[in-house]
Each structure stands twice: as C-alpha cells, then as structure tokens.
Amino acid sequence: MSTFTHPDYAVPITLPEGLSQEQLIGFHPFRSWISTLENSLSLQAQNRSHPFHQDPYVLRSVTVQSFDLFGGKRLGFLKLLAEVTNSAGEKLPGSVFLRGPSVAMLVILIPEDAPVDTDERYVVLTVQPRIPAGSLEFVELPAGMVDQEGQFVGTAAKEIEEELGLKIPTSELKCLSEMAGMSPKSDDGKIQDGNLPQAMYPSAGGCDEYIPIYMHERRVPRDTLKDWTGRLTGLREHGEKISLKLIKMQDLWREGARDAKSLAAVALWESLRREGKL
C-alpha cells in the first residue's frame, strides 16, 4: 500500500497494490465525488443555518480498499472508506462504492392515428441478467449513457435500434429530472447541495451513482405498434442476454416495481404532466 496527499484538497489518500495515483486522479467518478463532497462540506461554514455550522465535519482521509479494471486496463469500479469527522470525534458513514453516473430512458410510443390528448401510450422495458440483484431476468427501464455525439448508447440502446430501428439523438430527448428542478432550498432561500446533479440517486447510502431520467416520445404506425406489442414480450431466445418488452404506460408502475428508474420515471412524468410542463 502507498499514501499520497491529494493535490487540490490536502487529504491523505491510501492506495492498494496495483493502483497508481495517476489512475485514481484520472478516474472521473473519483474526481467528481471528492469535488462534490468538499463543496458540500464547505457549505457548513458558509451557511449559519446549516445543522453542522457550529462543529463542521471535515474529510480527514480516504482509503481505497479495492478496485476493478475493465478490459484489464481501464479503472471501472472503486471501493473506498472516507473518514469524515468533526472536532468532537463524531463520524459520518463513509463506506463508498464509486462507479459513476448512467442515464435512464423512458421511451414512449404512441399510435400515429391517436388524438393529440390520447392516453394510449406504450413503454419499452428491457429484460436482462442483473447479477448484483441475484436475477437473470430483471425487468427495468433501458439504461445506458449519452455519448459525445449526443446519442443514447449502451447495450439497451443497441437492442432498441436493432429491434425497433430507433436511434435516439439528444435533440429528441427531454430530461425529466432537469424539468423537475430537483435542488431543494433551505428556509433562507439558499440552495442546499446546489452542486449535486439533477438526477435520481438509487442508493445514496453507499454508492455515488446518479441517473438522470430522460424521455423520448414518438408516434408510430398502429400496425407497427401492434406487431411490436405481440413480438416484444420480454421472452428471450436460447442464449440471448437482453430482450425488450413493450407494455402499456399505465402498467409501468407495476411491471417496473422493482426498478428504481421505472418508479422515478413514473413519478416525474405524471407530476410534470399534472403541472402542465409536459
């Protein structure tokens, strides 16, 4: 093991064998996490109404316990222990799994001949193995990334393109998370943790992952939609790792009840419609 002091925050960081200082500092999820945390800690002194203003907490040290390399080279996942204490020696829980953000996509399909105010909508879900959940057929909203070219990419995006012929560019996306304006305000009107992304955190007690919820809505011929509905049932062919499932929008809360992305999408979509923002 080796220890170095972070060049920007003067925090001692201990590394395990096989992980270099350059790899850690170059790992975007780590850079984002420590920057966000230090900014949040600074709010304690800036805001007199902050509950920790009298005895603020400080990041004392970081110990990286383990890491995973993707493809044998690229740093993918990181497990660390952050020591965050105040002058009284009180600690905040600091066991952290770093993996970085992803995006979720609410793909809504409407029959082409349906009226403008129709409630007839269908949603695309994916069915695939999720080993961390102990499942080989987890039903969820499509997840992936938005690449530098502004395209929704990843395994789910590839499956949607192959099965439905849909490529989803950023110009045709609405970010429901941003439309909701998720930064809460304190009693004095100041933004609390204003540097946090406009996104859903599925497991903030242990993981840095945040997921902006995007929506893509498209009208398709009714015959095409009927064909997809009959064909996309979530059942997989022999050896197939991912498949699509097309369901009625009104059933999303039930079909995706185990998936935080689905439940967040339902809540955001229904609330934004109720407020006239969609």
Side-chain angles (χ1 to χ4, degrees), residues 10-37:
V11 175
I13 299 176
T14 301
L15 302 176
E17 293 294 331
L19 181 65
S20 69
Q21 175 180 339
E22 291 73 21
Q23 283 177 301
L24 181 67
I25 297 299
F27 186 45
H28 183 267
F30 177 78
R31 295 201 313 271
S32 177
W33 167 77
I34 195 169
S35 172
T36 301
L37 176 59

Side-chain angles (χ1 to χ4, degrees), residues 70-260:
F70 290 175
K73 295 180 180 180
R74 182 171 62 88
L75 191 56
F77 294 151
L78 204 66
K79 171 65 173 61
L80 60 81
L81 188 63
E83 184 182 3
V84 181
T85 65
N86 61 12
S87 62
E90 297 172 325
K91 291 185 176 182
L92 296 179
S95 185
V96 183
F97 172 58
L98 290 181
R99 55 150 296 161
S102 58
V103 301
M105 190 68 63
L106 177 63
V107 180
I108 299 176
L109 304 175
I110 303 173
E112 209 167 51
D113 59 358
V116 175
D117 59 349
T118 184
D119 285 329
E120 187 180 4
R121 287 176 168 81
Y122 297 83
V123 177
V124 178
L125 297 177
T126 61
V127 182
Q128 61 186 314
R130 290 301 195 191
I131 298 304
S135 173
L136 297 181
E137 46 184 6
F138 197 81
V139 179
E140 61 185 301
L141 217 60
M145 307 292 290
V146 174
D147 67 11
Q148 293 179 344
E149 282 72 45
Q151 299 286 340
F152 175 53
V153 297
T155 304
K158 183 178 179 182
E159 186 72 8
I160 289 172
E161 183 177 353
E162 289 178 353
E163 292 287 349
L164 307 183
L166 299 180
K167 292 190 73 170
I168 305 176
T170 303
S171 60
E172 296 179 16
L173 297 180
K174 291 183 179 179
C175 184
L176 302 185
S177 301
E178 290 183 358
M179 292 174 69
M182 289 180 166
S183 296
K185 292 185 178 181
S186 61
D187 293 338
D188 59 7
K190 293 182 179 179
I191 298 294
Q192 298 174 339
D193 280 352
N195 67 323
L196 288 182
Q198 302 277 22
M200 180 268 293
Y201 283 75
S203 188
C207 182
D208 72 314
E209 182 184 22
Y210 59 87
I211 307 174
I213 310 293
Y214 287 89
M215 182 190 80
H216 174 75
E217 190 171 271
R218 181 175 299 196
R219 286 182 174 263
V220 298
R222 185 173 290 276
D223 289 344
T224 301
L225 194 56
K226 184 177 180 181
D227 173 61
W228 288 348
T229 304
R231 182 163 52 87
L232 303 178
T233 61
L235 297 177
R236 287 172 288 170
E237 300 294 332
H238 180 70
E240 190 177 22
K241 291 186 174 67
I242 182 172
S243 62
L244 301 181
K245 186 175 186 178
L246 198 61
I247 65 167
K248 293 181 179 180
M249 178 70 187
Q250 66 196 47
D251 295 330
L252 178 57
W253 68 272
R254 182 184 296 109
E255 292 274 358
R258 290 187 176 90
D259 176 38

Side-chain angles (χ1 to χ4, degrees), residues 36-49:
T36 301
L37 176 59
E38 289 287 1
N39 184 80
S40 295
L41 292 171
S42 71
L43 298 178
Q44 300 170 105
Q46 297 172 15
N47 186 354
R48 291 183 177 275
S49 65

